[in-house]
Amino acid sequence: GQVAKDECAQHGYNIITGYGFWGHRHRWLKDDLVGNNYVQTKIKNICNNRASKYKSVCYARIPRCNKMLAVAYIMHEGLDKESLFSLGVNNHGDMSPNYRYDNNERLTNKDILKLKDKDLLEVYKKIESSNELIFPHIREPNVKDLTGNLAQVISAEHGYESYFQLSNETMMADGKYPFLTEKSYKPFYMLQPFVMNGPRGCVQVLKERGFDVFEKYIDHSYDSILDNTKRWEKALTEFKRLHNLSHDQWNIMLREMLEGLLHNNHHVSRLPPRLVANELFPILIRFSY
């Protein structure tokens, strides 16, 4: 989109590899959102065993299928009292009223119908047909509504008051390829572990890029599942398992994770550019013989 074009013009095409794209966008984060003060406070909270008011945060502002499913799951499983989440309506802002039925959404909507839990499917259908905003606990002082692009918005309060994040990626496509946006990187800024609700392979890509995905504590085996429905179901089951851990268990885990959390926070702002030439020259030189 235009944001990517602007970044290319300013920093060069290499930025689009993703190794530097979000790293450059961190400058959008304002002092009243996430910055050094946030990191210091979050570290103190972890070291002092401060119990958070909620267990998780789940940004699901634009209601694509996987995001509506995440919110439906939270409500259906009775996790809403301990989760910070929000969901926009299906036809607001600059979105076409039928935008969710583009090619991507037609495909993923079929996957929704394959859910094993038919009661969950009914909750999903009610959410999908609603034209109201869902704002349990999460109304942000810096966000008046959910009609704009809130890619750069991270609430410090959400990070202070939750332990981990359910990351809802933008595009599901056909599930064959990873698709990473700022949504996958927000947990790193917020010093949080995460469960990924996105296309296949996203967690593996983050791991390959040098991030700690905390496999000792979180079962990311869902990440390799090709089938959208099965991947969603397994990821959400892991989300529920983590939700059911006690506050004391989370405090212990976060203290043990602290080195990795700080590494991720440092790494996300300093992602190395991918030097394509270094990979390309050994290939090209073979053509000179």
Side-chain angles (χ1 to χ4, degrees):
Q2 188 58 46
V3 172
K5 291 178 181 179
D6 292 344
E7 294 287 339
C8 275
Q10 184 174 354
H11 301 289
Y13 282 106
N14 205 33
I15 215 72
I16 283 310
T17 62
Y19 284 76
F21 183 55
W22 178 244
H24 281 285
R25 293 184 70 185
H26 83 281
R27 67 184 184 279
W28 290 3
L29 304 179
K30 306 300 182 183
D31 291 339
D32 57 346
L33 297 175
V34 175
N36 289 333
N37 290 338
Y38 171 86
V39 172
Q40 293 170 8
T41 302
K42 185 70 175 179
I43 292 172
K44 289 179 181 178
N45 289 348
I46 292 173
C47 292
N48 293 331
N49 297 326
R50 178 184 178 273
S52 296
K53 186 175 181 180
Y54 304 98
K55 298 283 185 68
S56 69
V57 60
C58 173
Y59 293 120
R61 289 149 171 166
I62 294 181
R64 295 186 183 275
C65 292
N66 61 314
K67 299 178 184 180
M68 288 189 286
L69 177 61
V71 172
Y73 187 85
I74 288 171
M75 298 173 71
H76 176 60
E77 295 293 334
L79 307 177
D80 52 300
K81 297 296 189 297
E82 291 189 306
S83 180
L84 289 157
F85 62 97
S86 61
L87 185 68
V89 295
N90 285 326
N91 53 348
H92 62 74
D94 58 355
M95 296 294 180
S96 163
N98 295 318
Y99 88 93
R100 71 181 187 278
Y101 296 118
D102 60 19
N103 288 336
N104 174 66
E105 294 302 318
R106 285 195 188 98
L107 182 62
T108 48
N109 233 356
K110 292 179 181 178
D111 294 329
I112 289 289
L113 297 177
K114 296 189 296 182
L115 289 169
K116 292 180 180 178
D117 189 336
K118 299 308 175 185
D119 291 334
L120 172 60
L121 179 59
E122 289 305 309
V123 177
Y124 173 90
K125 288 180 178 179
K126 288 180 182 179
I127 289 176
E128 185 188 40
S129 63
S130 173
N131 60 359
E132 297 182 1
L133 295 172
I134 296 177
F135 261 123
H137 325 303
I138 205 171
R139 188 176 295 279
E140 300 154 83
N142 299 312
V143 179
K144 294 181 180 179
D145 56 47
L146 299 176
T147 61
N149 186 344
L150 304 179
Q152 76 276 23
V153 176
I154 301 177
S155 171
E157 194 65 24
H158 298 164
Y160 295 148
E161 294 299 343
S162 61
Y163 300 117
F164 76 111
Q165 192 158 156
L166 178 60
S167 300
N168 298 297
E169 256 307 343
T170 304
M171 301 291 287
M172 299 305 295
D174 56 6
K176 293 182 180 179
Y177 309 106
F179 186 94
L180 296 174
T181 68
E182 84 288 339
K183 298 171 185 64
S184 294
Y185 295 97
K186 284 183 177 179
F188 306 142
Y189 275 102
M190 298 171 73
L191 269 72
Q192 290 188 327
F194 67 94
V195 172
M196 178 67 71
N197 181 27
R200 183 180 72 146
C202 287
V203 178
Q204 181 62 30
V205 170
L206 291 171
K207 183 179 176 181
E208 290 172 357
R209 291 185 180 180
F211 292 101
D212 191 335
V213 298
F214 305 105
E215 293 172 291
K216 176 181 176 181
Y217 306 92
I218 301 173
D219 179 7
H220 289 299
S221 58
Y222 58 84
D223 188 57
S224 62
I225 298 175
L226 178 61
D227 182 88
N228 280 335
T229 311
K230 293 178 180 178
R231 187 174 61 260
W232 284 335
E233 289 173 331
K234 188 158 188 176
L236 291 173
T237 297
E238 178 64 4
F239 171 71
K240 180 181 178 181
R241 183 190 73 80
L242 293 171
H243 235 281
N244 288 336
L245 296 178
S246 69
H247 290 274
D248 287 340
Q249 287 174 305
W250 265 112
N251 284 330
I252 292 171
M253 279 175 50
L254 288 177
R255 286 202 307 276
E256 294 176 351
M257 291 179 179
L258 188 54
E259 181 179 355
L261 294 172
L262 291 172
H263 162 78
N264 288 346
N265 182 264
H266 178 84
H267 189 49
V268 74
S269 298
R270 296 166 177 80
L271 291 175
R274 184 178 182 182
L275 301 178
V276 178
N278 291 355
E279 302 175 17
L280 186 61
F281 287 158
I283 298 172
L284 292 177
I285 201 170
R286 292 201 295 268
F287 288 92
S288 65
Y289 293 104

